Amino acid sequence: MQKHEAKRVEIMIETVMLRRLTEALQSADVTGWSVLPVLGGSGRSGTWSREGQISRGTGMVQVVCLIRPEKLEPLLEAVYLVVERHIGVISVSDVKVLRAERF
Amino acid sequence: MQKHEAKRVEIMIETVMLRRLTEALQSADVTGWSVLPVLGGSGRSGTWSREGQISRGTGMVQVVCLIRPEKLEPLLEAVYLVVERHIGVISVSDVKVLRAERF
Amino acid sequence: MQKHEAKRVEIMIETVMLRRLTEALQSADVTGWSVLPVLGGSGRSGTWSREGQISRGTGMVQVVCLIRPEKLEPLLEAVYLVVERHIGVISVSDVKVLRAERF
Amino acid sequence: MLDLAIANLLSPIVLSFVLGMAAALARSDLSVPEAVAKGISIYLLFAIGFKGGASLASHGIDLTLGLSLGAGIILSFVLPLLAFSLLRVLSGMSRIDAAAVAGHYGSISIVTFVAATSVLSDAGVASESYMVAVAAAMEAPAILSALWLISRGSDNAEMNSDLWREILLNGSIVLLLGSFVIGMATGPEGLAKIESFIVSPFQGVLCIFLLDMGLIAGRGLRQANVLDRGAVVFGFVMPLLGASAGLLAALLVGLSTGGTMLLMTLSASASYIAVPAAMRVAVPQANPSIYLTLSLAVTFPFNLVLGLPIYLAVAQMLTGA
Amino acid sequence: MLDLAIANLLSPIVLSFVLGMAAALARSDLSVPEAVAKGISIYLLFAIGFKGGASLASHGIDLTLGLSLGAGIILSFVLPLLAFSLLRVLSGMSRIDAAAVAGHYGSISIVTFVAATSVLSDAGVASESYMVAVAAAMEAPAILSALWLISRGSDNAEMNSDLWREILLNGSIVLLLGSFVIGMATGPEGLAKIESFIVSPFQGVLCIFLLDMGLIAGRGLRQANVLDRGAVVFGFVMPLLGASAGLLAALLVGLSTGGTMLLMTLSASASYIAVPAAMRVAVPQANPSIYLTLSLAVTFPFNLVLGLPIYLAVAQMLTGA
Amino acid sequence: MLDLAIANLLSPIVLSFVLGMAAALARSDLSVPEAVAKGISIYLLFAIGFKGGASLASHGIDLTLGLSLGAGIILSFVLPLLAFSLLRVLSGMSRIDAAAVAGHYGSISIVTFVAATSVLSDAGVASESYMVAVAAAMEAPAILSALWLISRGSDNAEMNSDLWREILLNGSIVLLLGSFVIGMATGPEGLAKIESFIVSPFQGVLCIFLLDMGLIAGRGLRQANVLDRGAVVFGFVMPLLGASAGLLAALLVGLSTGGTMLLMTLSASASYIAVPAAMRVAVPQANPSIYLTLSLAVTFPFNLVLGLPIYLAVAQMLTGA
Ligand SMILES: Nc1ncnc2c1ncn2[C@@H]1O[C@H](COP(=O)(O)O)[C@@H](O)[C@H]1O
Ligand SMILES: Nc1ncnc2c1ncn2[C@@H]1O[C@H](COP(=O)(O)O)[C@@H](O)[C@H]1O
Ligand SMILES: Nc1ncnc2c1ncn2[C@@H]1O[C@H](COP(=O)(O)O)[C@@H](O)[C@H]1O
Ligand code: NA
Ligand code: NA
Ligand code: NA
């Protein structure tokens, strides 16, 4: 089956920042992403869990973004502006996608 | 630790199509997968979010499938028949797995 | 944008074992991970789905762990002790991360 | 009728809906968790089915039951054809989108039905207890009509026994009919046992549900640009046409005032649960934003706020109550 | 007794369960969201614990309290041995699976207990208010017996203080005992404040919960092929044996009719919350499908539909009520 | 006052909170699903807003309404300055963390407010029905003060119209004010329709919610090592100072005993919903563990268990009731 090179960008970000992140993605001409819930985790700012939350002020989501390789840099730059001062992590991997016309 | 080559297939698909997809996986002799919830996203058919849903007719899930490399093509062919006319994306990446006897 | 080599470890594990897993991660000096919910899946021990659950005794989660390459082996060894006798899968892939100082 | 309309507008139920809609339009982050909304809808379906069944058990089966079921099924089959023709005239949307929308308007919205029963009980008007069964019977036939409309064109719709099972055994139908049967089997005694769960708090729970419906409808309205002007007009006109057809059928069958109003409501309302799911599977090329926005963000609010009091007033006039 | 059985069969509670089971077997997509089911179970545990405590506060502590607790603990320890022997005779399942199953049958199902209290209250039969404490006490000992059975074989089970804490402080036990203590502390006055939350809607909420249990049991039944014929027989016979043992203990302790029926129910019922979780951690090599299917899809429905009226009838006969 | 304190301690509400806290500290896995907790908080906000509005509709608008709103807004602006100074003296936390904490204490905790209304209704003390509007008005101004405190230092906070919209239209405020208006519009008649949903079960639902708050507070306490001793002292002293300021304002405005107690409670309580969300966006460099632990795990329990009866006793003394 015909496959095409692409990048998979995975961003863990605080839920309160999600709208700002997707706006940044749109501004970088990225139109495809998916948001997955995160139940808890651990990082430099300690351990947290969804169960221990009443506040909307915490909690994270995972944003997965499949893009053509040439769109990676603009995406990262746009995203970086949003997450810069915030907690969260960004990783990039090489993937192959079907139906390249979608990206 | 002993690691083995494998492929990680990640499929975003509408929830209404999930049963049909897993049946296709089984028909391609794939017996291992996991389904993760998706909260929202954006693509060619616009932006959606779980919160704005009352209908079971929308909403997506992510299916992750770890397989031996040689099973990739049959899997993709089976999956493609299901998602062909539907929205959603499919990506493939190279991974290493422990406990290869499980795949 | 400056990117750094890293490993992405993805572990599917029974919810009842999660606390034991994160303790093992900590013992291997891994301090960053995220836990995502899994709705259902299939494997050697059959098919399951969150909807069919009343027991806390079943159900799985996905743990995603981004680490520096040199931490991979200690991590896998620590994790392996926990999952050894249990159901679940572990996969490793190569990724690039921003903000390497965080890992 | 103005009095009725104003009383309806000032009911906690309608105002909760309006609050949700306003909050969504103002882009507040107010939201009802999906699981809670689903839990409430289970409660509403169970309560309304059970009460219908228990009431049937005490009042006995009416001769009009069979006729009403038949009328409902015919309406569900026929209304999509009407809707489709109207859409082809009014709107520029594609043939396949028009057919998909038409399917929604032939089917029913159970929440509109629930709100109608609550308007009836506020107004002290009785209705046939088996109307919930009629509601259930009207869910699926419209889907068939829509698929027939589609297959007549060059497009093809995927339809098989699997999908039929999914449609006929979808959760809402099963729960509604199942609790109807339970209510029938346990009768007034059964009702007495769970009355303080399914009767007294009912209206309050409905408020929270309609708050959520308002939020969803409001978010939908923000995407209303998928609709051309003709489609929006359709969203207001079609319920009135549907209600007229329902009225006619009710008069022929000889339903009571309440029953007439409920059959009008069912005919006027558009599905946003069972039919969209079926359409996504069978006709993925149809744009879900169009049919969801129309039925949820245009027709549902219209029925809730203006339609229900109109249907009640007309039913009262024409059944001579 | 036939009357009782029919009355039980026609209760909204049992019929809701049957509806769920039928929907699952027909592969309807009806489902209760996990969060809602968990919320309801919190409600049920809180309500039943609180009511028990408040009732204890008004009736005073009975001399039989200590004896009943002791009897419960002994039953929980001993029943797994009985279950294990029976399984080894009846079924071809592995030694370790048999031991795991045995642990479930020594422990208890709190939902079966709740359904039993509701049967009692329908029948107007009083019971000792501290029976919820007995229920809590019977959860864990059976796990110990199961692990002992396993460690006697060549297999080994992982058991440590960590796991003990998890078992003894599992959410259900803590909530049940905690609300029992709260009920005791606040007494009838406290109950009066929250009565319209935990008393009046109780049966109705239980219906929804049992609907969900029916769905789960029905889905479980579809996997019933993991069970051999002997295992299925065990699933019907063991509750009767357990109930007999509970009856004996109740007569020795001198419980009232209601208390006797409840102790029979506890002994007859099989865990599907605390014990499976412990087994997954301690004995991962045992197959969860076997013990979950047996306790959820075979024994739970049996107890709910047939067991409870039988236990009540027998308790009424033998305690001379 | 001792009587009051003991009566408060023995209320189901406070004991449910204590149960949750104990369970969390003992590391039980007891937990309330997020969706359920959110559903309950929607219920509580809707109920309290609606009841306030309906009561306003029947009692008419009081002349003190405007004054009370003004007093609340001023308190919300000023209390952060007091809190900040106190923190700088008592604790070694960074300037920016201190400012963030200060913002929380100027704002309010709606759950503490709800618990206070329940204490009042138990004590049979009436209060101004518009106090829920005062509560809503006090949510946001404190955020402004906190950001001003931060921008005075070298650090900078991100603040724009977008964030303002988020704060002013956050779900809690919209729901509280919205249901207040609905209650006002539908009046006692509207209330009668949904009374058995929002009035009778209220205290019971609150128990479950406080059980969850206890679990969260208890889990927070296990992270209490982020707080230095001075910060902990602040967590107990600040509510008393806040309450005193609220008392003064209430006496000036001329509120009733109940109103005085509620304004004291609002001033004494610290936010853990709206303000943390705003701080995460505007001041990500401030440590959320510090402000969440202080307001949820220290001040909230203090207010619930000791504060409320103190505020009521003082209000009764000084308003001569
Ligand atoms: N190395 C990592 N791998 C996976 N998730 C991480 C990692 N580091 C941080 N996270 C996630 O990001 C959140 C915030 O991380 P931090 O900014 O390091 O406190 C954590 O709670 C995790 O959910
Ligand atoms: N490039 C992408 N990366 C990640 N998820 C995507 C992407 N494109 C689409 N999706 C997901 O698939 C759904 C349907 O996409 P589409 O078929 O393009 O409308 C979207 O709502 C997203 O959840
Ligand atoms: N190949 C696989 N790919 C993705 N997930 C898997 C795979 N195999 C197993 N899983 C997940 O792990 C669970 C237990 O697998 P198993 O131990 O094979 O029964 C399954 O129910 C899936 O959720
Ligand atoms: Na219709
Ligand atoms: Na038992
Ligand atoms: Na305050």
Side-chain angles (χ1 to χ4, degrees):
Chain A
M1 206 146 229
Q2 174 86 30
K3 293 188 264 311
H4 310 266
E5 303 280 336
K7 298 283 180 183
R8 180 182 186 274
V9 184
E10 186 180 287
I11 307 165
M12 309 271 183
I13 193 172
E14 287 173 279
T15 311
V16 283
M17 297 304 292
L18 178 61
R19 198 176 44 74
R20 288 168 178 82
L21 178 75
T22 55
E23 282 168 9
L25 289 174
Q26 276 166 328
S27 77
D29 261 345
V30 174
T31 54
W33 66 80
S34 296
V35 183
L36 281 75
V38 179
L39 294 179
S42 170
R44 296 188 317 163
S45 48
T47 302
W48 66 277
S49 142
R50 200 105 175 212
E51 283 188 353
Q53 313 259 288
I54 189 158
S55 160
R56 294 168 307 132
T58 39
M60 305 196 87
V61 287
Q62 183 192 70
V63 177
V64 175
C65 209
L66 297 164
I67 44 162
R68 292 163 186 266
E70 62 268 25
K71 275 197 183 168
L72 180 61
E73 281 307 312
L75 181 153
L76 290 181
E77 265 149 40
V79 165
Y80 196 77
L81 284 179
V82 175
V83 300
E84 202 189 349
R85 299 163 67 223
H86 286 267
I87 65 175
V89 290
I90 305 170
S91 66
V92 181
S93 61
D94 294 320
V95 295
K96 300 241 189 310
V97 293
L98 304 189
R99 312 203 274 185
E101 71 283 3
R102 310 211 148 205
F103 298 91
Chain B
M1 208 147 229
Q2 175 85 31
K3 293 188 264 313
H4 310 265
E5 303 281 337
K7 297 285 180 181
R8 179 180 185 276
V9 184
E10 187 180 286
I11 306 164
M12 309 272 183
I13 192 171
E14 287 174 278
T15 311
V16 282
M17 296 304 292
L18 178 60
R19 197 175 46 74
R20 288 167 178 83
L21 178 75
T22 55
E23 282 169 8
L25 289 174
Q26 276 166 329
S27 77
D29 260 345
V30 175
T31 55
W33 67 81
S34 296
V35 184
L36 279 76
V38 179
L39 294 179
S42 170
R44 296 189 315 165
S45 47
T47 302
W48 66 277
S49 141
R50 200 104 174 209
E51 282 186 355
Q53 313 258 286
I54 189 157
S55 160
R56 293 168 308 131
T58 39
M60 305 196 85
V61 288
Q62 182 193 71
V63 178
V64 174
C65 210
L66 298 163
I67 44 162
R68 292 162 187 268
E70 62 268 25
K71 276 198 185 168
L72 180 60
E73 282 306 313
L75 181 153
L76 290 182
E77 266 149 40
V79 164
Y80 195 76
L81 284 180
V82 176
V83 301
E84 202 188 350
R85 299 163 66 222
H86 287 267
I87 65 175
V89 289
I90 306 169
S91 67
V92 181
S93 62
D94 293 319
V95 296
K96 298 240 190 313
V97 294
L98 304 188
R99 313 204 274 185
E101 71 284 3
R102 308 212 149 205
F103 298 92
Chain C
M1 207 147 229
Q2 174 86 33
K3 293 187 266 309
H4 311 265
E5 303 279 337
K7 297 285 181 181
R8 181 181 186 275
V9 184
E10 186 181 286
I11 306 164
M12 309 272 184
I13 192 172
E14 286 173 281
T15 312
V16 282
M17 297 304 293
L18 178 61
R19 198 175 46 73
R20 289 168 178 83
L21 179 75
T22 55
E23 282 169 8
L25 290 174
Q26 276 166 328
S27 76
D29 261 344
V30 175
T31 54
W33 67 80
S34 295
V35 183
L36 280 76
V38 179
L39 294 180
S42 169
R44 296 190 313 165
S45 46
T47 301
W48 66 277
S49 142
R50 199 103 173 210
E51 282 187 355
Q53 312 260 285
I54 189 158
S55 160
R56 295 168 307 131
T58 39
M60 305 196 86
V61 288
Q62 184 191 69
V63 178
V64 174
C65 209
L66 298 162
I67 45 163
R68 291 162 187 268
E70 62 267 27
K71 275 197 184 168
L72 180 62
E73 282 305 314
L75 181 153
L76 291 181
E77 266 149 37
V79 164
Y80 196 75
L81 284 178
V82 175
V83 300
E84 200 189 350
R85 298 164 66 223
H86 287 267
I87 65 175
V89 289
I90 305 170
S91 65
V92 181
S93 61
D94 293 320
V95 296
K96 299 241 189 310
V97 294
L98 304 188
R99 311 203 278 186
E101 70 283 5
R102 307 212 150 205
F103 297 91
Chain D
M1 194 161 113
L2 201 69
D3 285 8
L4 250 175
I6 289 173
N8 186 50
L9 263 169
L10 287 183
S11 76
I13 285 173
V14 171
L15 289 176
S16 297
F17 178 81
V18 171
L19 171 59
M21 204 142 180
L25 289 174
R27 292 204 282 144
S28 165
D29 68 350
L30 181 60
S31 74
V32 177
E34 204 193 350
V36 172
K38 224 191 143 191
I40 297 182
S41 81
I42 288 172
Y43 168 85
L44 295 175
L45 289 167
F46 180 80
I48 199 135
F50 195 102
K51 285 186 279 187
S55 148
L56 194 65
S58 39
H59 294 131
I61 288 190
D62 204 289
L63 280 175
T64 50
L65 167 58
L67 285 177
S68 305
L69 283 175
I73 292 173
I74 293 174
L75 283 166
S76 180
F77 267 121
V78 173
L79 286 173
L81 311 182
L82 178 60
F84 183 72
S85 325
L86 191 61
L87 267 176
R88 297 301 281 167
V89 174
L90 286 175
S91 159
M93 74 178 67
S94 79
R95 196 191 162 72
I96 201 161
D97 282 332
V101 168
H104 289 72
Y105 280 80
S107 184
I108 58 118
S109 146
I110 200 71
V111 185
T112 315
F113 178 78
V114 167
T117 62
S118 145
V119 166
L120 284 183
S121 92
D122 277 5
V125 176
S127 63
E128 283 77 8
S129 40
Y130 54 71
M131 288 305 293
V132 290
V134 176
M138 289 179 73
E139 273 218 310
I143 298 175
L144 217 71
S145 299
L147 297 184
W148 177 76
L149 286 168
I150 288 163
S151 63
R152 271 183 56 228
S154 57
D155 286 292
N156 66 324
E158 207 185 295
M159 195 64 208
N160 53 33
S161 67
D162 226 31
L163 182 51
W164 269 120
R165 217 211 46 246
E166 276 175 33
I167 293 171
L168 292 177
L169 293 179
N170 89 62
S172 317
I173 293 193
V174 168
L175 186 51
L176 196 61
L177 289 184
S179 52
F180 183 73
V181 171
I182 297 180
M184 241 162 62
T186 64
E189 276 165 67
L191 184 61
K193 282 188 199 164
I194 62 173
E195 195 153 27
S196 52
F197 176 62
I198 66 173
V199 180
S200 12
F202 190 81
Q203 287 231 22
V205 178
L206 187 55
C207 284
I208 303 291
F209 194 71
L210 286 176
L211 174 75
D212 187 39
M213 293 288 301
L215 288 165
I216 293 170
R219 286 192 211 106
L221 265 194
R222 276 161 43 202
Q223 315 199 318
N225 53 336
V226 293
L227 303 179
D228 58 23
R229 189 180 306 230
V232 176
V233 171
F234 170 86
F236 294 120
V237 171
M238 185 60 210
L240 295 173
L241 289 184
S244 310
L247 173 63
L248 203 72
L251 294 177
L252 286 176
V253 169
L255 287 176
S256 70
T257 306
T260 301
M261 189 265 194
L262 289 178
L263 192 59
M264 291 175 74
T265 302
L266 288 172
S267 308
S269 71
S271 167
Y272 40 78
I273 299 189
V275 182
M279 290 297 152
R280 282 315 295 152
V281 175
V283 199
Q285 61 272 43
N287 183 348
S289 304
I290 294 180
Y291 47 74
L292 283 175
T293 307
L294 257 181
S295 89
L296 258 173
V298 180
T299 296
F300 179 75
F302 172 77
N303 276 328
L304 186 68
V305 176
L306 293 179
L308 296 187
I310 296 179
Y311 308 151
L312 177 55
V314 172
Q316 283 178 323
M317 253 179 318
L318 296 194
T319 59
Chain E
M1 195 159 111
L2 200 68
D3 284 8
L4 250 174
I6 289 172
N8 186 50
L9 263 170
L10 288 184
S11 77
I13 286 172
V14 170
L15 288 177
S16 298
F17 178 81
V18 171
L19 172 59
M21 205 142 180
L25 289 175
R27 292 202 284 144
S28 165
D29 69 350
L30 180 61
S31 75
V32 177
E34 205 191 350
V36 172
K38 221 188 146 193
I40 297 182
S41 80
I42 288 171
Y43 167 84
L44 295 175
L45 290 167
F46 181 80
I48 199 139
F50 196 102
K51 285 185 278 187
S55 147
L56 194 65
S58 39
H59 294 130
I61 289 189
D62 205 290
L63 279 174
T64 50
L65 167 58
L67 284 177
S68 305
L69 283 175
I73 293 173
I74 293 173
L75 282 167
S76 179
F77 267 123
V78 173
L79 286 174
L81 311 182
L82 179 60
F84 183 73
S85 323
L86 191 60
L87 267 176
R88 298 301 281 166
V89 175
L90 287 176
S91 158
M93 73 177 68
S94 79
R95 194 188 165 76
I96 202 161
D97 283 331
V101 169
H104 289 72
Y105 280 80
S107 184
I108 59 115
S109 146
I110 200 71
V111 184
T112 314
F113 179 78
V114 167
T117 62
S118 146
V119 167
L120 284 182
S121 91
D122 276 4
V125 176
S127 63
E128 283 77 7
S129 41
Y130 52 70
M131 288 306 293
V132 289
V134 176
M138 288 178 74
E139 271 219 311
I143 299 174
L144 218 71
S145 300
L147 298 184
W148 178 76
L149 284 169
I150 288 161
S151 65
R152 271 182 56 227
S154 56
D155 287 292
N156 66 325
E158 206 185 296
M159 195 66 208
N160 53 34
S161 66
D162 227 31
L163 182 52
W164 268 120
R165 217 210 48 247
E166 277 175 31
I167 293 171
L168 293 177
L169 292 179
N170 88 64
S172 317
I173 293 192
V174 167
L175 185 52
L176 195 63
L177 288 183
S179 52
F180 183 75
V181 170
I182 295 180
M184 241 162 61
T186 63
E189 277 165 68
L191 184 61
K193 282 188 200 166
I194 62 174
E195 196 153 24
S196 52
F197 176 62
I198 65 173
V199 179
S200 11
F202 191 81
Q203 286 231 22
V205 178
L206 187 55
C207 284
I208 304 291
F209 194 71
L210 285 177
L211 175 74
D212 187 40
M213 293 289 301
L215 287 165
I216 294 170
R219 285 192 211 106
L221 264 194
R222 275 160 45 200
Q223 316 197 316
N225 53 337
V226 293
L227 303 180
D228 60 23
R229 188 179 305 230
V232 176
V233 172
F234 170 86
F236 294 120
V237 172
M238 186 62 210
L240 295 174
L241 288 183
S244 308
L247 174 65
L248 202 74
L251 294 177
L252 287 176
V253 168
L255 287 176
S256 71
T257 306
T260 301
M261 190 265 195
L262 290 178
L263 192 58
M264 289 174 77
T265 302
L266 289 172
S267 308
S269 71
S271 167
Y272 41 78
I273 299 187
V275 181
M279 290 297 151
R280 282 315 294 152
V281 175
V283 199
Q285 60 273 44
N287 183 348
S289 303
I290 294 180
Y291 47 74
L292 284 174
T293 306
L294 258 181
S295 89
L296 258 173
V298 180
T299 296
F300 179 75
F302 172 77
N303 276 328
L304 186 67
V305 177
L306 293 178
L308 296 186
I310 296 179
Y311 309 151
L312 177 54
V314 172
Q316 283 178 323
M317 252 178 321
L318 295 194
T319 60
Chain F
M1 195 160 110
L2 201 68
D3 286 7
L4 250 175
I6 289 172
N8 186 51
L9 263 169
L10 287 184
S11 77
I13 285 171
V14 171
L15 288 177
S16 297
F17 178 81
V18 171
L19 171 59
M21 204 142 180
L25 289 174
R27 293 202 282 143
S28 165
D29 69 351
L30 181 61
S31 74
V32 177
E34 206 191 350
V36 172
K38 224 189 142 193
I40 297 181
S41 81
I42 288 171
Y43 168 84
L44 295 175
L45 290 166
F46 180 81
I48 199 136
F50 195 103
K51 284 185 279 186
S55 147
L56 194 65
S58 40
H59 294 130
I61 289 191
D62 204 290
L63 280 173
T64 50
L65 167 59
L67 285 177
S68 304
L69 282 175
I73 292 172
I74 295 174
L75 282 166
S76 180
F77 268 121
V78 174
L79 286 174
L81 311 181
L82 178 59
F84 183 73
S85 325
L86 190 61
L87 267 176
R88 298 302 281 165
V89 174
L90 285 175
S91 158
M93 74 178 67
S94 78
R95 197 189 162 73
I96 201 162
D97 283 332
V101 169
H104 288 72
Y105 280 81
S107 184
I108 58 113
S109 146
I110 200 70
V111 185
T112 315
F113 178 78
V114 167
T117 62
S118 146
V119 166
L120 284 182
S121 91
D122 277 3
V125 176
S127 63
E128 284 77 8
S129 40
Y130 53 71
M131 289 305 294
V132 289
V134 177
M138 289 179 74
E139 270 219 312
I143 298 174
L144 219 70
S145 300
L147 298 184
W148 177 77
L149 285 168
I150 288 163
S151 65
R152 273 182 55 228
S154 56
D155 286 292
N156 65 326
E158 206 186 295
M159 196 65 210
N160 53 33
S161 68
D162 224 33
L163 183 51
W164 268 120
R165 218 211 46 247
E166 277 175 31
I167 292 171
L168 292 177
L169 291 179
N170 88 62
S172 317
I173 293 193
V174 168
L175 186 52
L176 196 61
L177 289 184
S179 53
F180 183 75
V181 171
I182 296 179
M184 241 162 62
T186 63
E189 275 164 69
L191 184 61
K193 281 188 200 165
I194 62 172
E195 196 153 25
S196 52
F197 176 62
I198 66 173
V199 179
S200 10
F202 191 81
Q203 286 231 23
V205 178
L206 187 55
C207 283
I208 304 291
F209 194 71
L210 286 177
L211 174 75
D212 188 39
M213 293 288 302
L215 287 166
I216 294 169
R219 285 192 210 106
L221 264 194
R222 276 160 43 199
Q223 316 198 316
N225 53 336
V226 293
L227 303 179
D228 61 22
R229 188 178 307 229
V232 176
V233 171
F234 169 87
F236 293 120
V237 172
M238 186 60 209
L240 295 174
L241 288 184
S244 309
L247 173 64
L248 203 73
L251 294 177
L252 287 175
V253 168
L255 286 175
S256 70
T257 306
T260 303
M261 189 266 194
L262 290 179
L263 193 58
M264 291 175 75
T265 302
L266 289 171
S267 309
S269 71
S271 167
Y272 40 78
I273 298 189
V275 182
M279 291 297 152
R280 282 314 294 153
V281 175
V283 201
Q285 61 272 43
N287 183 348
S289 304
I290 294 180
Y291 48 73
L292 283 174
T293 306
L294 257 179
S295 90
L296 257 174
V298 180
T299 297
F300 179 74
F302 172 78
N303 276 329
L304 186 68
V305 176
L306 293 179
L308 295 186
I310 297 179
Y311 308 152
L312 177 54
V314 171
Q316 283 178 323
M317 252 178 321
L318 295 194
T319 60

